[in-house]
Amino acid sequence: MISNIAELIADRIGTMPASERRAAQTLIANYPMIGLKTVAEFSAAAGVSSPTILRFVSRLGFQNYPEFQSSLQDELAAQLQSPATRTLNPPSPGGGTVSPMLEATLDNMRETFRHLSDKQLADIAARLADRRGKTFLIGGRFTDPLARYMAAHLAVIQPNVFHLAGQESMWRDRLIDMGKRDVLVIFDIRRYQNSLVRFAEKAHQRGVQIVLFTDQWLSPIARFARHVIAGRTAVPSAWDSSAALFVVAETLIGAVTRQLEAEGAKRIREMESLR
Amino acid sequence: MISNIAELIADRIGTMPASERRAAQTLIANYPMIGLKTVAEFSAAAGVSSPTILRFVSRLGFQNYPEFQSSLQDELAAQLQSPATRTLNPPSPGGGTVSPMLEATLDNMRETFRHLSDKQLADIAARLADRRGKTFLIGGRFTDPLARYMAAHLAVIQPNVFHLAGQESMWRDRLIDMGKRDVLVIFDIRRYQNSLVRFAEKAHQRGVQIVLFTDQWLSPIARFARHVIAGRTAVPSAWDSSAALFVVAETLIGAVTRQLEAEGAKRIREMESLR
DNA sequence: CAAAATACGTAACATACGGTACAGCGCTCC
DNA sequence: GGAGCGCTGTACCGTATGTTACGTATTTTG
C-alpha cells in the first residue's frame, strides 16, 4: 500500500525517462518543500524545463500541478498534526484502552500549547484580571462544566464573576448588564450551538469583549471574539476531548491569580474567615 | 527575539483591526498550512475578503503574499530538518507562565495513569455500564464541574444518570432513592469537604457502590469507596490541578461508551431525532 | 545504417492569482 | 450631533503561473 508521494515516486522512478528522474531525485532530496514552490523554481532546481516537471507530476497520476501540491500539503499537515511521539512510540503493544487515549490526550495538549504563545495568555489573563468590568462565563452542552470550573476559581479571587446557567432565556436577560468593560468567556466546541452563537453576537454588539475556547475548526463565534483559544479535541473515542481546553483554563486561572496576587491573597483570607 | 511567524503574530495581534485578527486566528489555528494555500482559500477559511489577508501579511512586515509564503516554507523546512526543535514556543527561558504549568500537568497525567491499571478502569467502566442500577455523580467546591462533565456524557448513552446539584439538603434527600445496585461517583480533592464525607458515609451504609476521584493524599471518603482513583494535582500555581482527574474521567466515559456501543448508538440516534 | 518513436525544450497561450483603487460604512472624537 | 478617520469589501487590473503545441534532438529498433 502506497500512502505518500515519496513512496509513490520510489515505486515509479524506474519507469521514468532521464529528465523526469532528475526531477524525482531533486524532489526526494528536498522533500517535500521544493514541490510546494512554483513549477519554474522546481524546474530550475532540477535543471530541467518546466514541461518536464509537469509531465513528471502527471506521470505520478495527478491531473495538474496544483493538485499535486495540495496532496503534498495534506501529507505535511497530517505529519504536523501528530508530533514526534506518534512515530517514535509504537502504539503500546499492550493494546489497553488506556494508552491510546492518554497518548492522544497528551499530544493534544502539546499541540494546543504549541499554538499558544505566552503573550497571548498573558493578554487574556490581564483582561480577566482587570477589575473595572465584570466577567461572565458560559459553555455549551458538554463544555459548560469547564465554564463552571473556571468561574468557581475566578470567583474566589475577584468579585463580579458570574457563571451563566440555566435556560437560554435566563442568560439572554443578563445581556442588559453587560457593556464594554465586561468580558464574556465562552466555551464552544463542535457541534456548535446556535443559541451560543446568537448570544455571543448580541454580547458583541454591546461591546463586550469575548474570550472564546473552541476546537481547531473554530466555532462561528470566533467571528465576534477578541481572543480565540483553539484546542485540539481529537481522541480515539466516540467523544471529543475537552482536556486540552481544560488545561488551558487552569493555566489561565493560575496566571490571573498571580496577577491579582496582592488583592487576591487578602480576599482569600477574608473568604476563609467567612466559611 | 521573534524567530518565527507565529510569535510575530502573537506579538502584533493586539494592534490589529478585527478582520485581520480573524485572519491571524485562523492562521494560528491551522498553522501553518492555511498560509501555504492561495489568498482566496485563506480568506474563505477566515471568512474575510482577500484584501484583508493581504493587508494582514503586509502588516506582519512582508512585501507581498509570495514572500510571506516563502517565509512559512523556510520555517517549515527548518522544522523538518531537525525534529528536535519542533516546538513552536521554545521553552521560554524568561520564565514563561506556560511551560512549567504544562510540563507539570503532563507529568501529573503520566504519573496518574502509571498507578492506574487497565483492569481497574475496565472494572469501573463495567460497573458504570451496568444498567440495572442508577448512577449518581457529585463533586466538591471546585470539582463539581468534573462531575457535571461526566454526567453530561453518561446521560447521553444511558438512562438513570443523575448529577446531584444544589444545596446539601437537596442531595441528602436523594439518598432515599439509592440502593445496592446503584453507583455514586464522587469527586473530592483537598481541602476535603465534610458535607461530602458525611454524604458518602450515609450512601455507603445503604450499600451504594462508591467510585471516588481524589488526589494522591486520598480524601477520607476513600474509606467507604469501592474504587479509588488517585490523581496527581500538584502544579506550579496557587491552585491544585484537576486536569489529571479530568482525563481519567474522559477515559472512563470513552470506555463506558464502548461497552454500551450497541444500545448506546441506538440511544444517541434517538436522542438526535428529538433535538 | 535508416527510419521511427520517444524524449525534451522553446515559445506562445490562457487563466487564475495576487494586487490595487475606490466607495461605503461604522466608529471615535470633537 | 457632526466631522473626520480608519476599517472593510467590491470590482477591476496586470501579471506570474501553469499549460499546451510544436520542432529538434536523442535513442531505439528493424
Side-chain angles (χ1 to χ4, degrees):
Chain A
M1 182 51 195
I2 292 174
S3 61
N4 66 34
I5 297 181
E7 286 181 44
L8 186 64
I9 292 172
D11 187 53
R12 304 207 184 162
I13 198 170
T15 74
M16 295 181 187
S19 287
E20 292 182 34
R21 198 170 312 154
R22 290 185 62 187
Q25 283 158 351
T26 11
L27 177 55
I28 295 295
N30 308 52
Y31 193 82
M33 300 316 294
I34 198 85
L36 298 178
K37 302 194 183 290
T38 67
V39 175
E41 286 178 279
F42 190 171
S43 67
V48 299
S49 69
S50 322
T52 300
I53 299 297
L54 296 174
R55 280 188 285 263
F56 163 65
V57 305
S58 144
R59 191 182 299 265
L60 290 178
F62 296 98
Q63 290 298 320
N64 48 33
Y65 195 70
E67 183 183 306
F68 159 75
Q69 287 189 317
S70 300
S71 197
L72 276 180
Q73 284 189 13
D74 292 347
E75 203 178 302
L76 208 51
Q79 255 185 52
L80 290 176
Q81 288 285 335
S82 53
T85 67
R86 195 84 24 116
T87 46
L88 293 182
N89 292 340
S92 87
T97 62
V98 172
S99 271
M101 187 77 181
L102 176 61
E103 285 308 322
T105 303
L106 295 181
D107 275 356
N108 280 342
M109 290 176 188
R110 275 189 284 261
E111 195 60 16
T112 299
F113 276 86
R114 230 163 57 82
H115 292 304
L116 217 57
S117 70
D118 271 3
K119 176 144 191 337
Q120 204 175 342
L121 281 173
D123 282 353
I124 301 178
R127 186 90 228 116
L128 289 175
D130 185 340
R131 303 247 328 263
R132 280 173 308 183
K134 301 184 281 294
T135 305
F136 299 91
L137 300 99
I138 194 174
R141 188 170 168 211
F142 294 120
T143 47
D144 195 53
L146 301 202
R148 290 190 119 96
Y149 185 79
M150 200 160 168
H153 285 83
L154 291 183
V156 174
I157 52 173
Q158 60 183 351
N160 297 322
V161 174
F162 307 99
H163 172 253
L164 300 174
Q167 315 259 356
E168 180 176 355
S169 54
M170 292 287 288
W171 23 277
R172 212 173 32 218
D173 291 348
R174 301 295 299 273
L175 274 170
I176 202 164
D177 300 329
M178 305 188 190
K180 288 189 215 303
R181 350 200 80 169
D182 301 329
V183 181
L184 174 60
V185 180
I186 307 185
F187 291 79
D188 188 34
I189 65 175
R190 287 191 309 183
R191 304 161 25 182
Y192 312 117
Q193 281 175 235
N194 279 329
S195 56
L196 279 182
V197 180
R198 280 194 304 271
F199 184 69
E201 181 168 13
K202 296 213 185 81
H204 173 67
Q205 282 164 2
R206 296 186 62 88
V208 178
Q209 305 228 2
I210 295 180
V211 176
L212 173 68
F213 284 72
T214 184
D215 52 32
Q216 60 183 310
W217 296 280
L218 300 192
S219 152
I221 296 177
R223 190 188 181 80
F224 314 115
R226 180 64 169 267
H227 297 282
V228 175
I229 291 169
R232 303 285 157 151
T233 57
V235 282
S237 162
W239 308 94
D240 280 340
S241 164
S242 305
L245 290 178
F246 187 90
V247 175
V248 176
E250 279 196 338
T251 306
L252 263 181
I253 291 169
V256 174
T257 306
R258 208 166 311 117
Q259 293 212 8
L260 291 176
E261 199 105 281
E263 15 187 356
K266 183 163 132 253
R267 190 179 158 86
I268 289 181
R269 269 196 307 278
E270 208 174 314
M271 202 171 274
E272 292 291 337
S273 73
L274 285 176
R275 291 175 72 86
Chain B
M1 180 51 196
I2 291 175
S3 62
N4 66 34
I5 297 182
E7 284 181 47
L8 187 64
I9 292 172
D11 186 54
R12 306 207 182 163
I13 198 170
T15 74
M16 294 182 187
S19 285
E20 291 181 35
R21 201 153 46 213
R22 287 182 62 192
Q25 284 157 353
T26 25
L27 175 57
I28 294 295
N30 305 58
Y31 194 81
M33 300 317 292
I34 262 281
L36 298 178
K37 302 197 185 288
T38 66
V39 174
E41 286 177 279
F42 190 171
S43 68
V48 300
S49 68
S50 326
T52 298
I53 299 296
L54 296 175
R55 281 188 286 261
F56 164 65
V57 304
S58 143
R59 191 181 298 264
L60 290 179
F62 297 98
Q63 290 299 323
N64 49 34
Y65 195 71
E67 182 183 307
F68 160 74
Q69 287 189 315
S70 299
S71 195
L72 275 180
Q73 285 187 11
D74 292 347
E75 201 178 302
L76 209 51
Q79 268 185 41
L80 292 176
Q81 290 285 331
S82 52
T85 47
R86 257 289 190 49
T87 148
L88 263 188
N89 295 320
S92 62
T97 63
V98 172
S99 274
M101 187 78 182
L102 175 61
E103 285 310 321
T105 303
L106 295 180
D107 278 353
N108 280 341
M109 290 176 189
R110 274 189 285 262
E111 197 58 18
T112 299
F113 274 87
R114 223 165 57 80
H115 294 295
L116 217 57
S117 70
D118 272 5
K119 174 147 191 338
Q120 206 175 341
L121 280 173
D123 283 353
I124 301 177
R127 186 87 227 115
L128 290 175
D130 185 340
R131 303 247 326 262
R132 281 173 307 185
K134 300 184 283 294
T135 304
F136 298 90
L137 300 99
I138 194 173
R141 188 172 168 209
F142 295 121
T143 48
D144 194 53
L146 302 201
R148 290 190 119 97
Y149 185 79
M150 199 162 171
H153 285 84
L154 292 183
V156 173
I157 52 173
Q158 60 184 349
N160 297 322
V161 173
F162 308 99
H163 172 253
L164 301 174
Q167 315 261 351
E168 181 176 353
S169 55
M170 293 286 288
W171 23 276
R172 212 171 35 216
D173 292 348
R174 301 295 299 272
L175 273 170
I176 201 163
D177 301 329
M178 303 187 193
K180 287 189 216 302
R181 347 201 83 169
D182 302 330
V183 181
L184 173 60
V185 180
I186 307 186
F187 292 79
D188 188 35
I189 66 176
R190 288 189 310 182
R191 306 167 21 185
Y192 313 117
Q193 282 178 234
N194 280 328
S195 57
L196 278 181
V197 179
R198 283 195 302 272
F199 184 70
E201 181 168 11
K202 297 214 184 80
H204 174 67
Q205 282 165 4
R206 296 186 63 88
V208 178
Q209 305 226 1
I210 295 180
V211 176
L212 172 69
F213 284 72
T214 184
D215 53 32
Q216 58 185 312
W217 297 281
L218 301 192
S219 153
I221 297 177
R223 188 190 180 79
F224 315 116
R226 178 66 166 267
H227 298 281
V228 176
I229 291 168
R232 302 288 161 142
T233 56
V235 282
S237 161
W239 308 94
D240 280 339
S241 163
S242 305
L245 291 178
F246 188 90
V247 174
V248 176
E250 279 196 337
T251 307
L252 264 180
I253 292 169
V256 174
T257 306
R258 210 167 308 117
Q259 292 210 10
L260 291 175
E261 197 106 281
E263 14 186 356
K266 185 162 131 253
R267 190 178 157 85
I268 289 179
R269 270 196 306 279
E270 210 172 313
M271 203 168 273
E272 291 290 337
S273 73
L274 285 177
R275 291 174 71 85

